[in-house]
Amino acid sequence: MIGFTLSEKEFDYELQALATGFFPGKRTQINGESGDLHIAIDYGDTEISVCVETKAGRKSSSAAVTGDDDWHKKEGKLAHPYRTYYKNIVKKLVFTVLRDFPEEWLPEGFERRLPVWGTMTGVRPTKIPMNMLLEGRERTEVMEILQNVYCCSEQKAALGTEIAAREAALLQQNEYQDGYSLYVGIPFCPTTCLYCSFPSYPCDRFGHLRDDYVAALQREIKGTAKLMQGKRLTSVYMGGGTPTTLSPEQLRTVIKTMQEYFPMDTSVEFTVEAGRPDSITEDKLLALRECGVDRISVNPQTMQQKTLDLIGRRHTVDQTIQAFELARKLGFTNINMDLIIGLPGEELSDFEDTLRQVKQLAPDSLTIHSLVIKRASRLRSVLEEQGALGETEQIRGRRMEQMLARGEQFAGEQGYLPYYMYRQKNSAGHAGSGGQENIGYAKPGSECLYNILIMEEMQSIVALGAGASTKKYHSDRGQVSRIENVKSVTDYIFRVDEMIERKRHALER
């Protein structure tokens, strides 16, 4: 275990994330047990000091702080203008001491790995460089800051800056500042995948609720649209779950209600995550085309049949190919495919074969996700029962790094450019230095603006449906507040008026 002693409980969550980046899978505790490895931090008036200690030895470092010596004593310090300044200093101190701590002093079982994203422990590593670029800073300066202030590796600093520059350009082209985006969630799925931790409801048990759900969703669409009158709609995204578990008639009903009450004509894109190939039919695709959907996803996750069978996706590789080719035949010119690296039992050779088959289909964009074993997923329970979770911690990380690098190479070879990225949090097992990033690649002109807006939190996202989370953007302080819908489908159906009222209360302020 890694124990922390803090002179005051400040930046504790991020410091814990930083420590587990060095030592994947190790438990952390603040101001409790000392731990096999102990980190003591003192927030002084003019100096911050860090000491790392084990039974074999101790190493310490300190840095002077200026600007506001009594920052740590003030009320309301979460909004203090020097907060980021102090946070960056203490995180860099911890990073460098852990990096330079002698290997022979580490406790038994502590395998150190250098976090390639440095001190950037959040889920949005491109947000910092993008804000700097939007301020007018040069790319070379941004890269230097990522390496020197945030301790990023040269490779990740380059990747983060490249993606941030592409995001900033796309945002500036689309006048996002005064608009909002719309998300509509359909929580039903053909089956629940082994790794899934999202609220989803398999059709064999909950499919009978779809008509009632659509009716409740129509009610929320109408009630929420009134709150957004006079504001410009930037992008629309229908996700889930799997939206194509709805019938063609239900899809038409939902989308036409959206078109009647929201200003869909101002939206620059309309994406529907068709997702599971076994839920895609010609009638459903025709309904989407008829309703003006211009971007869809057909998500195999892998093109290895053995893996599909293992993770509970009851479709075949052939069904993926057929669904994709049918969408092309019906006129969809912007199709995304999602892949997951690190699925149980898959080696680099399996991922290579998946990429080979994807190359034949030539999607317009490709998203490569790193699998994280979430606490709420059935996969974690299965691995725990098999006693394989510890092995996963130690071995899976390196294999995923290889897959991530191969995916990046493949994307470059095929003319895809990285345009958005995020990292995982709340994992039950973290692969450490590989970064756990998920990267969206696209052919020029096929990017999804919504993906950038939701990740970088640059405008409000109005979210409808069970489990949907509305994000209200506060431009005066560059932050978002969340308005959550209930996750249960049955609760949502019976409490939809309450969901509308929650939004009214938050959005009209």
Side-chain angles (χ1 to χ4, degrees), residues 36-53:
D36 303 297
L37 184 146
H38 185 255
I39 302 172
I41 300 173
D42 181 58
Y43 298 99
D45 289 340
T46 60
E47 183 181 81
I48 295 175
S49 62
V50 171
C51 178
V52 176
E53 185 175 10

Side-chain angles (χ1 to χ4, degrees), residues 5 13 62 95 136 192 275 279 289 303 382-383 429:
T5 299
Y13 177 83
S62 62
F95 183 94
T192 301
S279 70
R289 286 285 291 162
M303 299 293 273
V382 169
L383 291 174

